[in-house]
């Protein structure tokens, strides 16, 4: 008997492939990042056995605990996808393969220093507030080009692209507006000689909106509940 997790994974992978077909994109150009926050290690192991290799976590403490559990599985890696306080930079520098929520130079500096100490580098995504909501983290789109230039000072950070959370809404046009702003900003950065790193990656789309995000150029979709089921309690 197949576990619901495996059924969900097949379903999500199928929908990603369909969204790629609809928008004339190569299915290999979109990576599924399963978001395993609040999900216990046994379930993560099952997802690993079903082919998942990187998992997204939004809390550093939880990610560190899980990284310790999977220390014997070196090809299982972690992406930190949530807002980070500077004082947690050390842990991220130790355990993360990717960081999707870079939103200040203070944090860039702290991460860079810790990474230099560890002798490693880290793939990072600049978080953008594409909806303009005050509750959301991230830089405003206007701030990003200047920020991206300033990141040239931090050599352990490999800037890969941009990340956003679209407005949480049933109004498809509003959600699409967020993704469209990201695509425009991505193009702007690709043309900007001073920006550090490359801007091939767009980390956007969650359980409710990943197909739409793919139509607007997402290269990483961060999907939690559609794979692991609903999260009990707060997440
Ligand atoms: C929780 C979370 C997700 C996944 O959300 P789902 O709606 O469960 O797919 C994606 N991105 C971030 C930053 C998150 O915190």
């Amino acid at each position: 008997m197949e576990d619901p997790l495996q059924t969900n994974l097949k379903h999500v992978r199928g929908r990603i492939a369909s969204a790629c077909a609809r928008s004339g994109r190569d299915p290999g150009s979109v990576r599924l990042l399963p978001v395993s926050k609040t999900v216990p290690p046994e379930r993560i192991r099952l997802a690993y056995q079903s082919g998942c290799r990187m998992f997204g976590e939004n809390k550093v403490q939880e990610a560190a605990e899980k990284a310790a559990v999977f220390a014997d599985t070196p090809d299982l890696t972690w992406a930190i996808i949530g807002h980070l306080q500077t004082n947690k930079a050390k842990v991220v520098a130790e355990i993360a393969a990717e960081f999707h929520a870079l939103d200040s130079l203070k944090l860039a500096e702290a991460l860079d220093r810790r990474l230099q100490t560890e002798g490693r580098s880290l793939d990072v995504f600049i978080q953008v507030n594409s909806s303009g909501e005050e509750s959301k983290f991230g830089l405003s789109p206007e701030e990003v080009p200047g920020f991206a230039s300033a990141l040239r000072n931090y050599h352990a950070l490999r800037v890969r692209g941009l990340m956003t959370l679209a407005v949480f809404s049933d109004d498809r046009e509003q959600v699409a507006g967020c993704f469209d702003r990201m695509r425009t900003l991505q193009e702007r950065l690709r043309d900007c000689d001073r920006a550090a790193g490359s801007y091939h990656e767009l980390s956007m789309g969650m359980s409710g909106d990943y197909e739409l995000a793919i139509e607007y150029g997402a290269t990483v979709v961060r999907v939690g509940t559609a794979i692991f089921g609903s999260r009990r309690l707060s997440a």
Side-chain angles (χ1 to χ4, degrees), residues 35 37 58 81 163 206-207 222-225 231:
V35 175
K37 62 190 184 197
N58 69 334
I81 60 173
M163 175 272 206
M206 317 195 340
S207 291
R222 309 178 310 266
V223 180
T225 49
R231 291 179 287 272

Side-chain angles (χ1 to χ4, degrees), residues 33-37 56-58 80-83 100-101 127 163-165 168 203 205-210 221-227 229-231 235:
L33 177 63
V35 175
S36 53
K37 62 190 184 197
E57 290 282 340
N58 69 334
I80 302 296
I81 60 173
H83 177 72
H100 288 228
Q127 184 169 356
M163 175 272 206
T164 201
L165 286 100
F168 188 71
S203 168
M206 317 195 340
S207 291
D209 57 16
Y210 66 92
V221 291
R222 309 178 310 266
V223 180
T225 49
I227 294 174
S230 62
R231 291 179 287 272

Side-chain angles (χ1 to χ4, degrees), residues 8 22 113 115 184 194 212:
N8 291 347
R22 272 201 306 281
R113 198 173 46 232
L115 288 161
T184 305
R194 298 223 25 96
L212 187 59

Side-chain angles (χ1 to χ4, degrees), residues 12-45:
V12 170
R13 285 172 175 149
R15 294 185 84 97
I16 289 174
S18 307
C20 285
R22 272 201 306 281
S23 39
R25 298 186 56 193
D26 171 2
S29 67
V30 178
R31 175 159 60 102
L32 171 62
L33 177 63
V35 175
S36 53
K37 62 190 184 197
T38 77
V39 174
E42 315 85 76
R43 306 299 292 162
I44 297 177
R45 193 171 300 280

